[in-house]
């Protein structure tokens, strides 16, 4: 027998290792001083652009039970034979935890029923599920764990088999599934997926179509999501995509953050994110009329009986030493500065959002940033003018907020009046979708 040797390294549990890996998977700068060297920030997004999303991967699920299987694990409604793409979330329970405190298994966008050429020669139609590339392997394992006796086949497509693109034109708030900007039918935000289907003229998920497309309806103006074979460029598919400026993943991220749209596990953190806190209800990823799925009980109970007091919001950071901004926080606009060289929070720390006064009331948690933009999980009645209950809001126009975290020596960084200021914004599309609890009237 071999003798087992004792390791001299400290034991780190699997959950802590995973949390450390997620903290390092980010594009946020690690500098905390304006005098330090900042990485090159991406340029502002163009009015009309096409971005290849190299941080997204595709999982193919096909077989006669594909629709039934997905119906049991994702938060949106899946109908067999429906060829239109949609947005959904998947949640998974972890062992040794209460069922209501699950992990968010990853965002999924099922891009219609894909044909055999994109699904390794499968005879039956199925689904292509777009997921975060960093979590694709673990999500694939999660799907196989729940497969049981379902008659499905699952595989992760290689990066060179199919690519994910985002295309948009600022002049077009909505774009149809068919891939033609000119034939777009106006669809108001908040309408159901099937209402959007009826308003579009045609369907790009047909068998003879060279690509799959769907409206990115998470927020107004997000444009089109395209799934293209191999290294195909959108301009080679249709004249409707001509004139689009090639842009980077970073510019797409800026555009997305300006609209307050979170994406991937770095922004909807596993073991911590809740679908309603991440605005998935407002983005059409949750069907509250749907029956049982993993995590459904807590989600539906919170929707009907509770108030979502914390939500992910777009934020702008600035130096508190800049009196032009710090003295008039209500006048600070939400805009991206590609030349920003001010202080930024580190990506490997838990960063708190605090009110910049003597009481230092906790107002939320910083999630991720890029330059002077970012996303934070904010307490709505502290950071914004939203009134969720009869108690009203504690926010005042003169309130300043700051970011604070622990340094390498354990001391607090960003104490009152110094460091990084932050202002949260409620996008118009989200403001109209937030439910306000109605107070019951008194019975005389």
């Amino acid at each position: 027998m071999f003798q087992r040797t004792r390791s001299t390294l400290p034991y780190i549990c699997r959950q802590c290792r995973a949390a450390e890996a997620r903290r390092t998977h980010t594009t946020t700068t690690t500098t905390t001083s304006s005098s330090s060297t900042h990485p090159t920030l991406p340029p502002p997004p163009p009015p009309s652009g096409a971005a290849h999303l190299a941080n997204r991967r595709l999982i193919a699920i096909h077989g006669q039970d594909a629709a039934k299987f997905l119906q049991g694990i994702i938060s949106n409604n899946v109908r067999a034979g429906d060829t239109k793409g949609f947005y959904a979330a998947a949640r998974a329970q972890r062992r040794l935890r209460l069922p209501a405190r699950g992990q968010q298994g990853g965002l999924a966008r099922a891009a219609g029923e894909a044909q055999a050429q994109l699904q390794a020669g499968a005879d039956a139609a199925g689904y292509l599920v777009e997921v975060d590339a960093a979590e694709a392997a673990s999500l694939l394992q999660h799907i196989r764990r729940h497969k049981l006796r379902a008659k499905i086949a699952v595989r992760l497509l290689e990066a060179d088999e199919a690519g994910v693109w985002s295309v948009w034109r600022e002049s077009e708030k909505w774009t149809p599934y068919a891939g033609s900007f000119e034939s777009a039918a106006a669809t108001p935000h908040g309408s159901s997926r099937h209402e959007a289907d009826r308003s579009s003229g045609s369907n790009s998920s047909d068998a003879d179509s060279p690509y799959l497309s769907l409206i990115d309806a998470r927020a107004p103006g997000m444009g089109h999501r395209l799934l293209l074979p191999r290294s195909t460029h959108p301009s080679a598919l249709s004249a409707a995509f001509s004139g689009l400026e090639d842009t980077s993943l970073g510019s797409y991220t800026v555009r997305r953050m300006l609209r307050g749209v979170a994406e991937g596990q770095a922004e909807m953190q596993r073991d911590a994110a809740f679908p309603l806190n991440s605005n998935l209800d407002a983005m059409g990823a949750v069907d509250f009329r749907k029956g049982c799925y993993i995590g459904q009980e807590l989600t539906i109970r919170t929707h009907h009986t509770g108030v979502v007091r914390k939500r992910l919001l777009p934020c702008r950071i600035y130096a508190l030493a800049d009196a032009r901004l710090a003295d008039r926080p209500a006048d600070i606009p939400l805009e991206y500065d590609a030349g920003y060289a001010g202080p930024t929070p580190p990506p490997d720390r838990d960063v708190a959002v605090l009110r910049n006064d003597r009481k230092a009331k906790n107002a939320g948690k910083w999630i991720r940033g890029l330059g002077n933009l970012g996303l934070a999980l904010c307490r709505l009645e502290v950071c914004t003018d939203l009134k969720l209950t009869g108690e009203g809001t504690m926010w005042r126009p003169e309130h300043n907020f700051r970011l604070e975290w622990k340094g390498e020596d354990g001391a607090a960084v960003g104490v009152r009046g110094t460091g990084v200021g932050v202002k949260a914004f409620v996008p118009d599309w989200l403001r109209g979708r937030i439910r306000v609890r109605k107070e019951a009237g008194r019975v005389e």
Side-chain angles (χ1 to χ4, degrees):
M1 296 179 65
F2 293 99
Q3 183 178 6
R4 185 176 180 179
T5 59
R6 179 174 298 177
S7 173
T8 59
L9 297 175
Y11 172 74
I12 304 176
C13 71
R14 181 167 55 183
Q15 182 179 348
C16 294
R17 291 199 301 268
E20 179 64 26
R22 288 194 301 274
R23 283 196 295 266
T24 58
H25 179 65
T26 179
T27 58
T28 312
T29 176
T30 59
T31 60
T32 60
S33 147
S34 58
S35 60
S36 302
T37 303
H38 282 248
T40 302
L41 295 175
S48 299
H52 178 226
L53 309 184
N55 63 338
R56 309 296 289 176
R57 293 287 297 276
L58 296 170
I59 294 178
I61 303 176
H62 57 85
Q64 66 184 58
D65 292 339
K68 180 180 178 181
F69 172 75
L70 286 174
Q71 179 76 352
I73 64 172
I74 67 174
S75 59
N76 220 329
N77 216 2
V78 182
R79 290 176 170 85
D82 188 357
T83 59
K84 300 299 189 296
F86 60 94
Y87 187 51
R91 290 176 59 83
Q93 299 174 1
R94 290 180 67 91
R95 291 179 297 175
L96 305 179
R97 285 181 178 247
L98 295 175
R101 302 287 295 176
Q103 74 174 21
Q104 191 161 335
L107 284 179
R109 183 178 292 102
E113 295 197 20
Q115 299 303 317
Q117 66 269 22
L118 285 179
Q119 297 203 0
D123 295 330
Y127 294 86
L128 288 178
V129 186
E130 181 200 322
V131 300
D132 185 7
E135 298 291 332
S138 61
L139 183 56
L140 181 67
Q141 183 181 9
H142 166 66
I143 293 174
R144 287 173 172 167
R145 185 184 303 123
H146 286 79
K147 176 178 177 290
L148 300 178
R149 297 182 180 179
K151 296 179 180 179
I152 60 173
V154 184
R155 78 179 184 93
L156 177 65
L157 272 66
E158 298 297 333
D160 58 353
E161 287 186 76
V164 182
W165 288 74
S166 176
V167 297
W168 65 86
R169 294 189 197 275
E170 293 291 356
S171 58
E172 298 286 348
K173 288 187 176 182
W174 299 106
T175 49
Y177 289 92
S180 172
F181 288 107
E182 288 75 11
S183 63
T187 304
H189 185 64
S191 60
S192 71
R193 171 166 56 97
H194 303 286
E195 291 171 350
D197 296 345
R198 289 193 295 268
S199 68
S200 58
S202 56
N203 176 20
S204 68
S205 297
D206 295 335
D208 57 351
S209 174
Y211 65 96
L212 298 175
S213 84
L214 71 156
I215 300 172
D216 192 345
R218 292 175 294 176
M222 286 296 293
H224 247 134
R225 208 71 159 191
L226 302 181
L227 303 187
L228 309 182
R230 295 184 175 85
S231 58
T232 307
H233 191 276
S235 61
L237 299 175
S238 170
F241 301 126
S242 62
L244 299 176
E245 180 180 341
D246 280 346
T247 189
S248 65
L249 174 61
S251 294
Y252 162 79
T253 303
V254 169
R255 191 172 186 274
R256 178 172 56 77
M257 285 185 171
L258 285 170
R259 286 162 172 78
V261 176
E263 189 173 276
Q265 294 280 274
E267 298 171 10
M268 285 173 280
Q269 298 171 343
R270 184 193 301 174
D271 295 330
F274 184 65
L276 305 189
N277 295 138
S278 301
N279 302 323
L280 297 188
D281 55 336
M283 292 190 286
V286 183
D287 188 340
F288 293 106
R289 297 171 296 179
K290 181 183 175 181
C292 185
Y293 58 90
I294 299 175
Q296 181 260 357
E297 182 181 354
L298 177 61
T299 302
I300 196 74
R301 186 169 68 243
T302 303
H303 173 72
H304 287 298
T305 65
V307 174
V308 183
R309 298 182 180 274
K310 295 185 292 183
R311 287 186 179 270
L312 276 177
L313 297 179
C315 298
R316 176 181 172 179
I317 62 175
Y318 57 93
L320 285 172
D322 187 348
R324 296 180 301 105
L325 299 176
D327 292 347
R328 301 177 63 88
D331 297 336
I332 298 176
L334 178 61
E335 58 185 17
Y336 173 64
D337 181 7
Y340 179 75
T344 56
D348 56 348
R349 296 284 188 273
D350 289 331
V351 182
V353 179
L354 303 175
R355 199 163 62 196
N356 191 36
D357 56 16
R358 183 168 50 86
K359 293 183 179 180
K361 184 174 181 61
N362 189 299
K365 179 182 178 181
W366 181 258
I367 300 299
R368 192 186 184 202
L370 181 61
N372 70 324
L373 290 181
L375 297 171
L377 185 63
C378 300
R379 297 181 183 272
L380 298 179
E381 292 185 325
V382 177
C383 291
T384 73
D385 61 345
L386 289 174
K387 298 179 181 180
L388 303 179
T389 65
E391 300 174 1
T393 178
M394 292 178 282
W395 176 85
R396 298 292 180 269
E398 64 273 12
H399 283 170
N400 255 315
F401 296 88
R402 72 174 190 270
L403 301 180
E404 185 175 302
W405 62 93
K406 299 292 185 181
E408 296 288 348
D409 56 355
V413 179
V415 295
R416 180 185 174 191
T418 64
V420 186
V422 59
K423 181 182 178 181
F425 298 82
V426 182
D428 291 338
W429 67 267
L430 179 60
R431 185 180 293 270
R433 299 286 292 171
I434 293 178
R435 298 173 71 245
V436 178
R437 187 172 64 183
K438 296 180 179 179
E439 299 295 332
R442 177 179 298 180
V443 179
E444 298 295 341

